[in-house]
Amino acid sequence: MRFRHPDGTTVHLAYCTNVHPAETLDGVLAQLRDHCEPVRRRLGRDRLGIGLWLARDAAHALVSDPSALRGLRTELDRRGLEVVTLNGFPYEGFGAEQVKYRVYKPDWADPERLDHTTALARVLAGLLPDDVTEGSISTLPLAWRTAYDQDRAEKAHTALLTLAERLDALQELTGRSIRLGLEPEPGCVVETTADAIAPLTAIDHHRIGICVDTCHLATSFEDPYTALDTLTRAGIPVVKSQLSAALHAEHPHLREVRAALAAFDEPRFLHQTRTSPTLKCVRAGGTPIAAGLRGTDDLGEALAGDTLPDAAPWRAHFHVPLHAAPAEPLTSTLPVLKAALTRLVGGPHPLTRHLEVETYTWQALPPELRPRGRTQLADGIAAELALVRDLLTDLDLKELP
């Protein structure tokens, strides 16, 4: 879906296909037929943007066979679909019964990550619509925080610089500009937008920026306006934004709240949980330091005994459907998404032109909330996109044919 910003800029809205995980090119083609085109039809659109997730095997098949890439482009056109952004975070196995920590491998210190992202960039340059010259790829924020030492940090830094050089060369060859966005996520080396400033400043290349995921932003209790203004002042480009909402529990000390949260504790994905205790100042070397967040790697760990303080609200990294907040006593962080979107595209000029709804956890919801089959899933995805469409038009963006 395309929108015209008041300044004349085209803003693209897509939904991410990692909700329909497939490891092979045949699986990707089936997604277009079974899921993406039905969502487009529900929205009454002639054209729908999708943010493709391409696993390692699918990406390799496309980059090694020009005819396969042309075939995918033809299939997208035939089904009224277009691609301006890719989700390059999961490498493979995102549809496995247990993903958890595996999603962070390989990281940017591993050569496989550079090779895979290079392949994605080449594929995206071949998939962009004829009238679009800019594409984006989101990727993991360097690495999971453990076992990330100075040696691995230097390898990651070198890999990102190499990628930037390859993206420059790709533009010279194809005329298509592809940019990469590190996606801050709780528990990673880059957990918050503030954590991204130092490594991205060190790279100092216009090809490498940030992907702002509004679920992750909310889980880490970041204020959207502060975060985005800080990035702007630092000269860090927002390459894309993933529009998502986290799980919010206002009173986690209550037994009924704990029981409601437990229904979202499931075995497939990590659901990092955070709380922001009352801000306290201590003195270290004469400098006031604000105490940070407290958190756990997963929701089950937070619910176990007194692992996490419960005097303040909890937020869990669980992408809940945008249009359907959980029942009381829980809710979602949709207000954070709305505030972020206002700052991203509601000003005189958009901070980013690529927006992507990313609710990949539909089948991880508590059983009574899961869609029963393709029809209900397509209905739900269409409802999420319709909600974002309305938010964009409320910000004076005009929906284009």
Side-chain angles (χ1 to χ4, degrees):
M1 300 168 74
R2 298 187 185 190
F3 297 81
R4 182 75 70 201
H5 189 275
D7 76 345
T9 302
T10 299
V11 174
H12 295 265
L13 172 65
Y15 89 89
C16 187
T17 64
N18 61 357
V19 65
H20 325 295
E23 300 292 314
T24 65
L25 179 54
D26 285 343
V28 171
L29 295 171
Q31 289 175 349
L32 306 184
R33 178 193 68 227
D34 297 338
H35 301 288
C36 302
E37 186 177 9
V39 170
R40 178 183 64 77
R41 293 185 181 280
R42 279 163 173 75
L43 290 165
R45 302 290 305 167
D46 293 332
R47 175 173 53 188
L48 176 68
I50 57 171
L52 273 182
W53 172 61
L54 297 172
R56 178 195 62 178
D57 289 349
H60 178 74
L62 289 166
V63 81
S64 61
D65 183 356
S67 66
L69 184 58
R70 289 193 298 270
L72 175 57
R73 173 69 184 273
T74 299
E75 190 70 2
L76 288 166
D77 292 341
R78 186 168 76 87
R79 299 195 179 279
L81 306 169
E82 66 178 14
V83 175
V84 303
T85 188
L86 300 180
N87 185 335
F89 197 133
Y91 180 71
E92 61 184 352
F94 201 60
E97 291 185 3
Q98 187 176 75
V99 179
K100 298 290 184 182
Y101 295 95
R102 290 172 52 191
V103 75
Y104 306 105
K105 288 292 186 178
D107 63 37
W108 274 101
D110 300 318
E112 295 88 353
R113 176 61 63 173
L114 173 61
D115 292 343
H116 178 59
T117 310
T118 301
L120 292 178
R122 292 172 59 189
V123 169
L124 182 55
L127 293 180
L128 288 177
D130 291 339
D131 61 344
V132 175
T133 59
E134 296 184 357
S136 61
I137 302 171
S138 49
T139 190
L140 82 161
L142 300 182
W144 186 252
R145 69 183 185 281
T146 56
Y148 190 76
D149 54 19
Q150 185 60 34
D151 177 64
R152 293 188 68 78
E154 291 174 359
K155 288 179 179 178
H157 177 82
T158 300
L160 287 169
L161 285 176
T162 300
L163 179 74
E165 293 170 355
R166 292 178 181 178
L167 295 179
D168 283 343
L170 184 64
Q171 182 172 11
E172 290 183 11
L173 180 66
T174 66
R176 304 298 179 89
S177 174
I178 309 297
R179 296 192 298 168
L180 183 76
L182 303 185
E183 181 185 331
E185 177 164 315
C188 292
V189 173
V190 175
E191 168 152 346
T192 66
T193 55
D195 294 336
I197 291 175
L200 289 177
T201 301
I203 294 169
D204 190 25
H205 198 289
H206 66 284
R207 296 285 180 198
I208 314 293
I210 195 169
C211 168
V212 175
D213 184 300
T214 58
C215 170
H216 304 171
L217 192 79
T219 301
S220 295
F221 287 86
E222 290 196 78
D223 174 73
Y225 290 96
T226 301
L228 293 168
D229 288 348
T230 301
L231 290 173
T232 299
R233 286 193 300 270
I236 305 297
V238 181
V239 171
K240 66 185 280 189
S241 180
Q242 289 176 325
L243 305 178
S244 51
L247 190 62
H248 180 95
E250 186 69 19
H251 303 292
H253 64 284
L254 297 177
R255 181 177 302 176
E256 60 268 28
V257 175
R258 294 290 188 104
L261 283 170
F264 288 83
D265 179 27
E266 55 83 37
R268 179 176 293 181
F269 302 110
L270 275 187
H271 300 295
Q272 302 93 314
T273 304
R274 299 289 184 267
T275 186
S276 181
T278 302
L279 203 63
K280 299 178 180 178
C281 286
V282 296
R283 288 201 170 269
T287 304
I289 298 176
L293 297 174
R294 298 288 300 278
T296 60
D297 283 358
D298 214 346
L299 181 56
E301 183 184 352
L303 292 169
D306 58 356
T307 305
L308 195 63
D310 59 7
W314 286 4
R315 289 177 179 174
H317 173 216
F318 196 118
H319 291 223
V320 295
L322 302 185
H323 68 292
E328 293 184 353
L330 304 178
T331 187
S332 81
T333 60
L334 184 62
V336 176
L337 182 158
K338 292 179 177 179
L341 194 61
T342 298
R343 183 66 184 89
L344 284 166
V345 299
H349 305 287
L351 298 185
T352 186
R353 293 184 293 275
H354 291 176
L355 304 173
E356 179 183 68
V357 170
E358 197 212 11
T359 305
Y360 60 84
T361 43
W362 280 94
Q363 299 301 339
L365 290 166
E368 67 276 10
L369 301 179
R370 294 174 195 166
R372 298 181 183 88
R374 294 176 186 170
T375 298
Q376 286 192 1
L377 179 58
D379 289 343
I381 294 169
E384 290 191 294
L385 286 166
L387 181 149
V388 176
R389 176 186 61 198
D390 291 345
L391 293 177
L392 291 173
T393 56
D394 287 346
L395 293 171
D396 294 329
L397 278 74
K398 180 182 179 181
E399 187 175 6
L400 299 175

